[in-house]
Amino acid sequence: MEEGVVNEILQGPLRDVFDSKQLITDVSGSGNNWAVGHKIYGCQYRENIVEKLRKTAEHCDCLQCFFIIHSMGGGTGSGLGTFVLNLLEEEFPEVYRFVTSVYPSGEDDVITSPYNSVLAMKELNEHADCVLPIENESLFEIVNKIHQMINSGKLGSTVKQNSLVTSSAGSAKTLQEKPFDAMNNIVANLLLNLTSSARFEGSLNMDLNEISMNLVPFPRLHYLVSSLTPLYTLADVNVPSRRLDQMFSDAFSRDHQLIQADPKHSLYLACALLVRGNVQVSDLRRNIERLKPSLHFVSWNQEGWKTGLCSVPPVGHSHSLLALANNTCIKPTFIELKDRFMKLYKKKAHLHHYLQIDGMEQSCFSEAISSLSDLIEEYNELDATKDGPRIDPSRLKIAV
């Protein structure tokens, strides 16, 4: 909502990407306060937001879904972001709502971020169809790792200059303290891969609504862990299949996840593989069969794979893979968030900043933490089934 920040974008290299008539700003932001974003700015700008949404929706031939991209730690992203999510459900109940949420890390600079994140999560639990959580810490580590590999010469001549997913300027630039552009590029590539089927031809197209339909078996368990691979482009475009297989293996490794999580050692409810480039259905099947024995799937969905093949690779790549996993490995992120919330809440620290806002009561906090605890409990119940005997469901006998 901060006018100065938005004006900076309009004067920068991305100015032509945005329609300035569709931008909504105020003089200042929400002061790291969820209640200001949700209760004050939400109510104040409601009609303006709805009008601009309708105007854009009317231009669509086939409106498939809304993307909401927001951060959880501040006031505007968490508060106004989830207000817009609720508005979308009211105004366009049939249209899927995909949310990309940037979760705060333990060392973030917003003291009230645990409050903002937990208040926002209650709204995400109730009103989102799919949430793709992302952590700055993970993005930062991925960017760091790639720079270390290049600088140490480990990747040698196999990597093209100027072709990193994380860089628009090439690998020669020195790493700043927080390489936001490189980190944002990873998220941008996640969204590009997610929408590639809607934009390009492919032998196995995957609509966005199919992701929710296939990966979300229970309405509240709609948090998908994403991983992107490869994170750099190889110089040789004629990639041998071993390289291709490595791409699939990497997607399940801890190092490539966009949140701090280890899906391989947790329980899968379902998994989607969205592949772009010169990849055959046989490559997909071979790799799924190869990886299956090392992954734990819930007993009632052993074949829980959804696949998409888009023939057009990302710019500068021969192929790429986005894996989306509905997996219990997301649980530690939620537990850590709950612990950070409780540290503040037990002391009632900073509560008065929220409670002085009209419409904000202490029950908002107790309901939000209760909603998060219920979600964690649902993941606990699933995890409890992980080490049980793997029973193959009996096949239907078909009378001939």
Side-chain angles (χ1 to χ4, degrees):
M1 292 302 281
E2 214 168 319
E3 199 173 32
V5 178
V6 176
N7 286 341
E8 251 176 70
I9 293 170
L10 293 180
Q11 286 156 18
L14 295 177
R15 60 184 174 275
D16 298 330
V17 176
F18 300 99
D19 176 357
S20 57
K21 294 190 192 83
Q22 288 293 96
L23 296 174
I24 297 172
T25 55
D26 200 281
V27 177
S28 62
S30 303
N32 297 333
N33 187 331
W34 181 89
V36 173
H38 200 87
K39 304 285 184 185
I40 294 181
Y41 282 148
C43 296
Q44 197 176 330
Y45 286 94
R46 183 194 169 100
E47 282 176 24
N48 198 352
I49 294 167
V50 170
E51 182 198 330
K52 288 186 178 352
L53 282 170
R54 283 191 185 142
K55 188 178 166 188
T56 310
E58 281 163 14
H59 287 291
C60 296
D61 297 326
C62 171
L63 180 55
Q64 204 173 63
C65 93
F66 288 107
F67 279 117
I68 295 177
I69 304 166
H70 72 139
S71 74
M72 300 284 276
T76 303
S78 66
L80 189 61
T82 52
F83 182 87
V84 171
L85 178 67
N86 300 358
L87 261 190
L88 291 172
E89 188 177 38
E90 282 174 29
E91 298 291 326
F92 305 91
E94 304 302 313
V95 184
Y96 280 86
R97 294 169 298 282
F98 274 72
V99 187
T100 306
S101 304
V102 181
Y103 277 70
S105 57
E107 298 92 57
D108 72 326
D109 58 352
V110 178
I111 292 168
T112 53
S113 71
Y115 282 164
N116 297 330
S117 302
V118 172
L119 288 162
M121 270 206 70
K122 178 179 183 286
E123 306 298 319
L124 294 182
N125 285 343
E126 293 171 5
H127 304 290
D129 289 301
C130 268
V131 181
L132 304 173
I134 286 161
E135 282 175 357
N136 276 330
E137 224 165 313
S138 290
L139 298 178
F140 188 59
E141 278 177 21
I142 289 171
V143 172
N144 251 341
K145 213 167 285 152
I146 293 169
H147 279 271
Q148 279 165 11
M149 285 167 84
I150 287 165
N151 295 337
S152 68
K154 266 189 194 166
L155 294 172
S157 59
T158 58
V159 169
K160 269 186 187 175
Q161 292 298 307
N162 303 332
S163 71
L164 300 184
V165 165
T166 56
S167 167
S168 39
S171 58
K173 65 177 179 181
T174 53
L175 193 62
Q176 313 129 4
E177 203 173 324
K178 284 265 180 169
F180 289 122
D181 283 350
M183 291 158 72
N184 286 336
N185 273 347
I186 296 175
V187 182
N189 275 280
L190 156 71
L191 296 171
L192 286 171
N193 283 7
L194 204 53
T195 57
S196 59
S197 265
R199 295 180 291 119
F200 301 115
E201 289 297 308
S203 52
L204 259 185
N205 255 10
M206 193 195 293
D207 275 352
L208 286 162
N209 51 13
E210 287 180 49
I211 293 173
S212 178
M213 187 62 72
N214 288 276
L215 295 193
V216 181
F218 306 112
R220 282 163 59 86
L221 303 183
H222 53 235
Y223 293 86
L224 307 180
V225 176
S226 46
S227 62
L228 212 52
T229 171
L231 290 164
Y232 44 79
T233 315
L234 299 167
D236 180 13
V237 176
N238 305 313
V239 186
S241 65
R242 191 180 63 78
R243 287 275 187 219
L244 195 64
D245 291 359
Q246 186 61 46
M247 177 178 85
F248 282 91
S249 299
D250 285 348
F252 293 88
S253 84
R254 194 180 188 130
D255 294 345
H256 285 69
Q257 309 305 316
L258 302 194
I259 67 160
Q260 306 271 312
D262 189 4
K264 220 169 180 179
H265 295 102
S266 301
L267 187 68
Y268 280 87
L269 301 178
C271 184
L273 301 175
L274 286 78
V275 185
R276 295 180 64 181
N278 185 20
V279 181
Q280 307 303 317
V281 177
S282 56
D283 296 320
L284 259 175
R285 291 208 181 110
R286 182 183 75 250
N287 277 288
I288 288 174
E289 290 307 317
R290 179 175 66 85
L291 291 160
K292 233 160 91 175
S294 63
L295 307 172
H296 304 276
F297 271 76
V298 284
S299 58
W300 40 265
N301 198 22
Q302 290 288 307
E303 301 298 320
W305 296 87
K306 177 70 183 162
T307 51
L309 271 182
C310 169
S311 51
V312 180
V315 176
H317 282 247
S318 57
H319 53 251
S320 77
L321 167 64
L322 167 65
L324 299 173
N326 193 338
N327 187 296
T328 58
C329 67
I330 188 77
K331 186 178 72 176
T333 300
F334 297 156
I335 291 171
E336 189 190 334
L337 189 57
K338 181 183 173 180
D339 292 344
R340 290 180 62 208
F341 176 97
M342 290 311 295
K343 268 182 197 162
L344 291 175
Y345 192 56
K346 274 178 187 161
K347 301 288 184 194
K348 303 283 185 275
H350 299 284
L351 270 190
H352 62 286
H353 298 302
Y354 292 80
L355 300 180
Q356 68 193 14
I357 306 295
D358 269 357
M360 194 70 190
E361 293 165 10
Q362 200 159 326
S363 60
C364 297
F365 286 85
S366 50
E367 284 167 17
I369 196 65
S370 164
S371 172
L372 180 57
S373 300
D374 290 348
L375 184 67
I376 291 168
E377 192 45 46
E378 285 183 54
Y379 282 109
N380 280 338
E381 284 169 17
L382 282 167
D383 266 339
T385 67
K386 182 181 156 210
D387 298 318
R390 191 177 282 194
I391 304 159
D392 285 329
S394 54
R395 300 276 176 186
L396 284 173
K397 291 185 172 65
I398 297 171
V400 180

